[in-house]
Amino acid sequence: MAASGRQQRPRNQRLVGIVAGALVVLIGLVSVSVVLLAGDDTDDSAPREPTESAEPTGPPAEIAFRPVLAKLPKTADCSKPDVWCTPGHTEAYRLGPAELRTPDIVEASARLSDYGPWVVGITLSDEGATQFEAVTRELADKTGAQAQLAVVVDGVVISAPLVQAAIPGGEIDISADFTQAAAEQLAAAIDP
């Protein structure tokens, strides 16, 4: 997944494991990559099954942006409440508290990115945009895993990109080699 600032403004059962493969992230003022997905603080349990439909049937998916405290060995026990894993348990992390959550999202939609692949475009509320910029500014001053921001959806880490600069504006693109259907499914799941 990658998040990038953009100028244009481009619903839901629990999603898990819609993204497979490499998660590549680059962050900058214009082209930014960020990993953002987080589960509910009251239920840090195992991931849920993905939905087959892009049409939402319930409340929005729980999404949160959490700073990475440490990258754990791939052998970490993903069933533990303080361990956050990617689909397929290919990566494991210890994450900090959620800096942004589902209520900070105003809109989510699938679209083709300016650089080619399908992305999920997210528009944050004014308060969310201010918080996101502050969080990314703080992370940009760190190194290693502690400079990463995890995107957690329904308890599963979708991506954890390295933050290299503050990301202003409240417009974020999440990319992860999505197919059109996968991007539409995730956007439908998190759109309020």
Side-chain angles (χ1 to χ4, degrees), residues 6-101:
R6 58 184 171 81
Q7 297 298 320
Q8 296 179 337
R9 288 186 57 132
R11 195 161 258 278
N12 144 45
Q13 296 177 332
R14 303 288 184 206
L15 296 179
V16 174
I18 63 170
V19 178
L23 298 175
V24 179
V25 183
L26 298 174
I27 297 182
L29 292 176
V30 175
S31 178
V32 182
S33 294
V34 176
V35 175
L36 309 170
L37 293 181
D40 187 306
D41 278 340
T42 61
D43 181 13
D44 293 341
S45 60
R48 295 159 190 93
E49 292 301 315
T51 180
E52 293 298 322
S53 169
E55 291 303 314
T57 60
E62 289 295 321
I63 184 170
F65 302 108
R66 295 174 179 266
V68 172
L69 301 178
K71 186 170 181 180
L72 303 175
K74 292 181 182 184
T75 57
D77 184 353
C78 294
S79 67
K80 291 188 176 182
D82 62 340
V83 176
W84 300 78
C85 295
T86 59
H89 304 258
T90 57
E91 299 289 337
Y93 302 92
R94 187 160 328 284
L95 302 178
E99 297 289 348
L100 287 103
R101 298 185 154 279

